[in-house]
Amino acid sequence: EVSRLRPDRFRIDPSARPDVMAWRAARERGDGELAGAIADEMFDRSNSHGENISILDRGTYTVTRTTYSQQKAKEYREVIFAQLSREETFALKCTDGKFNTAYRGTIRAQDRQSFGKWPRPDNALGQGL
């Protein structure tokens, strides 16, 4: 009965990540402290993923283990960003905590701009765009 009245409540997205869904929900409720804590957990998970992969791939990489681990952690975060809209990606990178520290001062494309046409910021915070 309820599923016919509110089909949106029973929509399932198998590609949705629980951590991203929790971060979105906290952000929509305006709970910045919880959103920051969830974002920090996501960042820590990406780092531990990088560590685990570097251990499993021992001997197959041509850079130091630390560099390889950091590369894999960054790839993990790129998978997270792929799940988000451009505005959500920017909001996650600006969330107080580890994401903000790691991505402070990065330039992002505005809507309908190609990679080569990104505006140059006047300062490191990207202001003046």
Side-chain angles (χ1 to χ4, degrees):
E1 183 81 20
V2 175
S3 64
R4 280 187 242 125
L5 296 174
R6 294 282 313 270
D8 58 312
R9 291 185 61 196
F10 297 95
R11 210 174 285 148
I12 297 173
D13 184 1
S15 66
R17 297 176 52 96
D19 50 357
V20 171
M21 300 294 283
W23 176 80
R24 276 184 182 144
R27 191 169 161 259
E28 288 171 3
R29 283 195 312 267
D31 191 346
E33 188 175 339
L34 179 60
I38 293 169
D40 283 348
E41 287 294 322
M42 291 165 50
F43 195 87
D44 289 341
R45 179 67 190 122
S46 71
N47 286 337
S48 66
H49 171 78
E51 279 292 315
N52 292 340
I53 294 298
S54 69
I55 291 169
L56 292 174
D57 292 349
R58 182 179 29 233
T60 62
Y61 40 87
T62 58
V63 293
T64 65
R65 180 170 169 234
T66 302
T67 302
Y68 188 76
S69 174
Q70 291 169 349
Q71 289 171 350
K72 292 301 176 184
K74 186 175 180 183
E75 288 174 12
Y76 185 91
R77 289 190 291 272
E78 292 299 325
V79 170
I80 293 172
F81 297 150
Q83 297 274 317
L84 303 173
S85 69
R86 183 172 293 160
E87 288 75 24
E88 288 176 321
T89 299
F90 185 70
L92 180 59
K93 289 179 178 181
C94 292
T95 301
D96 286 338
K98 296 174 183 177
F99 270 102
N100 189 15
T101 302
Y103 290 97
R104 184 178 297 136
T106 58
I107 301 171
R108 72 180 184 103
Q110 303 296 315
D111 288 337
R112 296 178 299 282
Q113 285 184 325
S114 67
F115 181 76
K117 297 184 183 200
W118 286 12
R120 291 273 184 211
D122 293 339
N123 60 34
L125 296 176
Q127 296 172 351
L129 298 176

